């Protein structure tokens, strides 16, 4: 059985057939044959999230005239069918996103320059890890669980908190634990992460939880434990029917999003629904991630094996090793013993020296990237290509040893000192409308495995700090409302107001998203303009601030479509 998450390995004996002496070429050919699927064996792949290489290796190939072939599953039991038959629950039916707004201040008199794009990301990460940010989100989590979740599943509901790092998981654990104690709550939290050194001290989950790590899965089923706070652990493969609600504070997409949220889909006799409260992700991105695996996933096209020639041409173009280097290393690796390892290291070390001295920084980046891509793609390509290439096999053995010794290339940090030059000012978080993320009743096509060729070092887009801070605040909520509650009420009413448009409703219910978007764009302007007679603060800001207008439009459109789609169903 093949599991898509595992890398493809080669099963080749180290000894020749009895009574025969195996030479170097014989061994190479035997390894090549070992990479292929045996013709006298059956292979099966079982997966809920089929990747492109799984479909190409195990799917049925359908030839098409004047077009790329398709690879389709031999058999399927789709997510859609499993939900309809009650085998799993729909984890997107009750989904509530939260939007965060921040403001930071320039804290220095001068105006230094930083890489603009990296700086914006670094500032957001900075404000997300502030104690005020963690506390507000933890307060929402504890309050929501205490009011709406604990009584679910016959009073046995559990919740999982998905965090972006081990440090965030520990901070959430400590903050939620403190809040539960202050409320005299009967419930407790468990934290799960891989032991890590923080500030010179190794921190373990066993130390924080007060019991061995092996007991986590058992303990979360027992009182008083109701919260499982995780950093990567338990996001895949974890089977716990009592898990009802997930609080997500980590960017997730594609397979990771499906695997993470699907921890909630296990059935239980008393489990009627699930709930997702998301602090970090765009609902549309979550919808797109699930859509790919909702019905049949099809591979459109097939891998271009000749891309390996392109990678080889790039690498050899830098001329820092010889064919003799490749032959020596591969023969010593396959025909030698442990005693020959120093000889292999000597050849590889000499190649590394030439890599460092003969290639400039940009060339090193391009070359190492191409080598890593070759090592990533070749094991898979060699198992599906219709021919065998001893030369590629030798290159793979050589590159796999070489890449481990190549220097870690320096990445310029054009944001160094940025965080010392800003101050955290304000943070607020706004609950958006609860919605059902509705998936389309259609199959999805994925593309073959990509083969990158690598590129040079990207050029930073430098900008002064004052401009970066302004852009950040404009994007993430530098708006001082005089009457915030009234503004929020007006925004929340927009989905129901746009639903009075007959053209918009018909477009949504007929499944024509393009027409629905065009109609929405026209109607929303008139609706907001008509609200001037009520209160002017929201309307004036809407027309004066394009970023805010785009922000509101995107969310109102999604909310209105979700509401109308739910009514249709």
């Amino acid at each position: 059985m093949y599991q898509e998450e595992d890398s493809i390995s080669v099963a080749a004996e180290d000894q020749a057939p009895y009574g025969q002496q195996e030479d170097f070429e014989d061994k190479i050919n035997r390894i090549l044959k070992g990479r292929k699927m045996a013709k006298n064996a059956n292979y099966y792949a079982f997966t809920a999230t089929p990747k492109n290489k799984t479909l190409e290796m195990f799917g049925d190939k359908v030839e098409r005239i004047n077009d790329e072939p398709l690879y389709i599953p031999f058999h399927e039991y789709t997510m859609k069918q499993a939900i309809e038959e009650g085998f799993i629950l729909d984890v997107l039916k009750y989904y509530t996103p939260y939007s965060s707004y921040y403001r930071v201040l320039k804290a220095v008199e001068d105006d230094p320059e930083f890489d603009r794009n990296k700086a914006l990301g670094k500032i957001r990460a900075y404000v997300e890890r502030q104690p005020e940010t963690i506390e507000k989100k933890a307060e929402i989590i504890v309050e929501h669980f205490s009011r709406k979740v604990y009584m679910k599943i016959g009073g046995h509901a559990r919740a999982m908190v998905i965090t972006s790092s081990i440090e965030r998981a520990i901070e959430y654990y400590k903050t939620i634990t403190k809040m539960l104690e202050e409320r005299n709550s009967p419930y407790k939290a468990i934290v799960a992460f891989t032991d890590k050194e923080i500030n010179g001290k190794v921190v373990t989950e066993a130390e924080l939880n007060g019991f061995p790590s092996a007991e986590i899965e058992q303990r979360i089923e027992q009182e008083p434990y109701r919260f499982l706070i995780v950093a990567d652990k338990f996001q895949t493969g974890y089977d716990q029917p009592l898990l009802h609600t997930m609080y997500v504070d980590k960017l997730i997409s594609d397979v990771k999003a499906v695997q993470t949220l699907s921890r909630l889909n296990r059935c239980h006799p008393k489990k009627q629904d699930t709930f997702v409260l998301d602090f970090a992700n765009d609902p549309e991105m979550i919808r797109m991630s699930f859509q790919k695996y909702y019905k049949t996933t099809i591979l459109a096209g097939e891998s271009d094996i000749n891309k390996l020639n392109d990678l080889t041409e790039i690498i050899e173009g830098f001329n820092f090793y010889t064919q003799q280097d490749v032959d020596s290393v591969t023969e010593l690796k396959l025909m030698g013993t442990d005693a020959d390892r120093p000889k292999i290291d000597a050849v590889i070390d000499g190649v590394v020296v030439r890599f460092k001295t003969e290639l400039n920084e940009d060339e090193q980046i391009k070359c190492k990237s191409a080598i890593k891509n070759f090592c990533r793609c070749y094991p898979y390509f060699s198992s599906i290509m219709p021919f065998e290439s001893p030369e590629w096999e030798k290159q793979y053995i050589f590159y796999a040893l070489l890449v481990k010794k190549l220097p870690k290339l320096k990445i310029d940090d054009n944001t160094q000192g940025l965080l010392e030059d800003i101050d955290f000012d304000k943070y607020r978080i706004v609950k958006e409308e609860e919605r059902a993320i509705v998936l389309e009743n259609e199959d999805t096509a994925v593309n073959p495995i990509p083969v990158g060729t690598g590129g040079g070092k990207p050029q930073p887009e430098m900008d002064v700090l004052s401009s970066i801070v302004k852009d950040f605040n404009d994007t993430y909520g530098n708006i001082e409302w005089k009457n915030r509650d009234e503004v929020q009420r007006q925004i929340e009413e927009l989905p129901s107001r746009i639903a009075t448009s007959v053209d918009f409703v018909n477009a949504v219910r007929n499944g024509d998203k393009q027409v629905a978007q065009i109609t929405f764009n026209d109607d929303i302007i008139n609706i907001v303009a008509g609200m001037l007679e009520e209160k002017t603060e929201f309307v004036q800001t809407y027309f004066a601030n394009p970023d805010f207008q785009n922000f509101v439009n995107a969310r109102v459109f999604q909310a209105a479509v979700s509401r109308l789609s739910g009514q249709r169903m």
Side-chain angles (χ1 to χ4, degrees):
M1 181 182 295
Y2 172 84
Q3 293 181 326
E4 63 164 326
E5 289 80 5
D6 295 336
S7 59
I8 300 171
S9 58
V10 179
E13 298 293 335
D14 287 334
Q15 298 181 352
Y18 180 75
Q20 298 181 22
Q21 184 67 36
E22 186 179 45
D23 62 17
F24 177 58
E25 294 302 324
D26 290 336
K27 193 156 190 175
I28 284 286
N29 289 328
R30 185 161 53 83
I31 290 174
L32 287 168
K33 287 181 172 59
R35 292 189 181 278
K36 307 289 185 184
M37 290 186 182
K39 294 182 178 179
N40 60 345
N42 291 328
Y43 296 85
Y44 303 92
F46 298 91
T47 176
T49 52
K51 297 178 182 176
N52 43 19
K53 65 180 182 180
T54 310
L55 288 164
E56 188 168 13
M57 181 171 286
F58 296 96
D60 289 336
K61 186 175 182 179
V62 179
E63 297 287 358
R64 296 190 293 174
I65 300 175
N66 299 327
D67 209 343
E68 291 282 340
L70 297 176
Y71 289 84
I72 61 176
F74 170 75
H75 188 270
E76 62 185 22
Y77 184 68
T78 65
M79 183 191 302
K80 179 178 184 293
Q81 185 178 352
I83 292 171
E84 291 174 347
E85 295 179 356
F87 187 70
I88 60 174
L89 295 173
D90 181 359
V91 300
L92 302 181
K93 190 172 183 180
Y94 300 102
Y95 180 97
T96 298
Y98 270 73
S99 294
S100 294
Y101 299 87
Y102 325 91
R103 191 172 73 175
V104 296
L105 304 173
K106 186 167 76 76
V108 292
E109 291 185 8
D110 55 348
D111 211 3
E113 288 191 342
F114 299 101
D115 183 338
R116 182 181 181 279
N117 293 328
K118 289 184 178 179
L120 291 172
K122 199 167 187 176
I123 294 173
R124 187 173 186 188
Y126 163 73
V127 297
E128 284 288 355
R129 68 170 181 260
Q130 294 301 307
E132 300 96 315
T133 307
I134 300 294
E135 286 175 7
K136 287 189 178 181
K137 292 178 181 178
E139 184 178 3
I140 291 170
I141 291 171
V142 171
E143 179 67 19
H144 180 267
F145 184 89
S146 300
R147 292 179 57 246
K148 296 187 176 182
V149 179
Y150 79 93
M151 74 290 290
K152 298 284 186 175
I153 318 182
H156 298 289
R158 267 60 180 172
M160 181 179 282
V161 182
I162 308 296
T163 69
S164 60
S165 67
I166 292 174
E167 289 82 359
R168 295 297 85 72
I170 294 172
E171 290 166 2
Y172 264 112
Y173 170 75
K174 291 179 177 178
T175 305
I176 288 176
T177 297
K178 179 182 177 183
M179 289 181 176
L180 291 171
E181 291 173 351
E182 290 174 347
R183 297 168 68 102
N184 292 320
S185 172
Y187 306 129
K188 289 186 177 181
I190 294 174
V191 64
F193 60 90
T194 303
D195 298 348
K196 182 178 181 180
E197 182 176 323
I198 301 175
N199 297 326
K201 178 186 176 183
V202 176
V203 181
T204 70
E205 55 189 7
E207 173 188 352
L208 292 172
N209 291 324
F211 53 80
S213 299
E215 297 181 11
I216 288 178
E217 291 188 53
Q218 175 188 351
R219 295 266 187 158
I220 196 62
E221 294 181 341
Q222 304 170 356
E223 298 296 347
Y225 300 106
R226 293 296 187 103
F227 296 88
L228 181 58
I229 303 167
V230 304
D232 286 332
K233 273 193 171 184
F234 299 104
Q235 279 187 234
T236 60
Y238 179 49
D239 187 358
Q240 176 49 262
L242 293 178
L243 191 59
H244 177 277
T245 294
M246 185 171 288
Y247 302 102
V248 183
D249 196 19
K250 175 184 181 179
L251 289 172
I252 50 177
S253 62
D254 200 60
V255 174
K256 197 71 171 179
V258 176
Q259 291 178 337
T260 298
L261 298 188
S262 293
R263 296 313 98 214
L264 298 176
N265 69 15
R266 274 46 173 184
C267 289
H268 184 281
K270 297 183 179 180
K271 189 175 180 180
Q272 305 301 319
D273 53 21
T274 65
F275 189 84
V276 177
L277 195 157
D278 198 332
F279 296 110
N281 298 281
D282 183 343
E284 178 61 15
M285 296 301 295
I286 297 295
R287 187 198 67 78
M288 292 171 61
S289 298
F290 272 80
Q291 184 66 60
K292 188 183 296 186
Y293 308 104
Y294 185 55
K295 286 196 68 184
T296 305
T297 307
I298 299 169
L299 175 64
E302 57 188 346
S303 298
D304 185 356
I305 296 166
N306 288 321
K307 292 289 186 181
L308 292 176
N309 280 324
D310 297 339
L311 291 172
T312 299
E313 184 177 349
I314 291 171
I315 299 165
E316 291 181 345
F318 294 109
N319 197 30
F320 67 102
Y321 68 88
T322 65
Q323 187 60 44
Q324 179 62 38
D325 293 328
V326 176
D327 293 340
S328 297
V329 167
T330 52
E331 188 164 357
L332 286 168
K333 175 67 176 176
L334 297 182
M335 306 302 293
T337 64
D338 291 342
D340 291 311
R341 182 68 204 208
K343 297 178 182 178
I344 294 176
D345 289 337
V347 176
I348 295 292
D349 290 344
V351 173
V352 171
V353 169
R354 295 195 291 274
F355 177 88
K356 292 179 179 178
T357 58
E358 297 178 11
L359 276 63
N360 62 39
E361 185 178 4
D362 197 54
E363 290 172 335
Q364 289 180 9
I365 292 173
K366 290 180 181 178
C367 182
K368 187 176 180 181
S369 176
I371 292 173
K372 291 172 72 174
N373 276 321
F374 188 98
C375 291
R376 174 179 61 86
C377 296
Y378 174 73
Y380 169 62
F381 283 176
S382 64
S383 67
I384 62 170
M385 61 191 189
F387 58 90
E388 297 169 0
S389 172
E391 293 307 313
W392 277 351
E393 184 67 36
K394 292 177 187 178
Q395 283 178 270
Y396 172 67
I397 295 170
F398 177 71
Y399 291 157
L401 292 169
L402 173 63
V403 75
K404 295 177 181 178
K405 288 201 167 191
L406 291 178
K408 185 176 181 180
L409 301 179
K410 178 183 176 183
I411 300 176
D412 293 335
D413 183 5
N414 292 300
T415 62
Q416 193 168 5
L418 169 71
L419 299 184
E420 288 76 21
D421 293 345
I422 62 172
D423 282 335
F424 178 67
D425 183 31
K426 292 183 179 180
Y427 171 79
R428 62 186 176 90
I429 188 166
V430 177
K431 178 183 178 182
E432 296 186 35
E433 182 178 299
E434 181 181 304
R435 66 196 66 182
I437 297 179
V438 179
L439 303 178
E440 301 293 334
N441 184 25
E442 58 186 28
D443 298 336
T444 304
V446 296
N447 296 318
I449 183 171
V451 182
T453 57
K457 183 168 59 175
Q459 294 301 312
E461 181 185 344
M462 304 301 289
D463 202 353
V464 294
L465 178 59
S466 58
S467 178
I468 293 171
V469 168
K470 181 181 183 301
D471 286 347
F472 180 85
N473 289 331
D474 287 344
T475 302
Y476 294 107
N478 185 24
I479 300 175
E480 294 291 342
W481 301 109
K482 296 178 181 177
N483 192 334
R484 188 177 306 280
D485 292 341
E486 184 64 33
V487 169
Q488 185 169 340
R489 180 193 64 78
Q490 289 178 291
I491 295 175
E492 289 174 350
E493 288 180 358
L494 285 174
S496 58
R497 294 187 187 228
I498 195 69
T500 61
S501 168
V502 176
D503 291 340
F504 176 71
V505 171
N506 289 338
V508 172
R509 291 182 173 169
N510 291 330
D512 194 331
K513 287 189 175 180
Q514 184 176 5
V515 174
Q517 184 70 69
I518 294 171
T519 305
F520 174 87
N521 293 341
D522 293 336
D523 290 350
I524 192 68
I525 297 296
N526 296 327
I527 289 172
V528 174
M531 296 168 69
L532 269 171
E533 298 179 1
E534 304 171 19
K535 296 285 184 179
T536 62
E537 185 180 15
F538 163 66
V539 179
Q540 289 175 344
T541 305
Y542 178 88
F543 287 112
N545 188 330
D547 290 331
F548 177 69
Q549 183 179 123
N550 293 335
F551 175 86
V552 170
N553 286 356
R555 281 150 180 78
V556 171
F557 178 79
Q558 182 60 43
V561 169
S562 297
R563 177 181 298 181
L564 291 170
S565 299
Q567 292 173 0
R568 177 183 60 193
M569 297 175 63

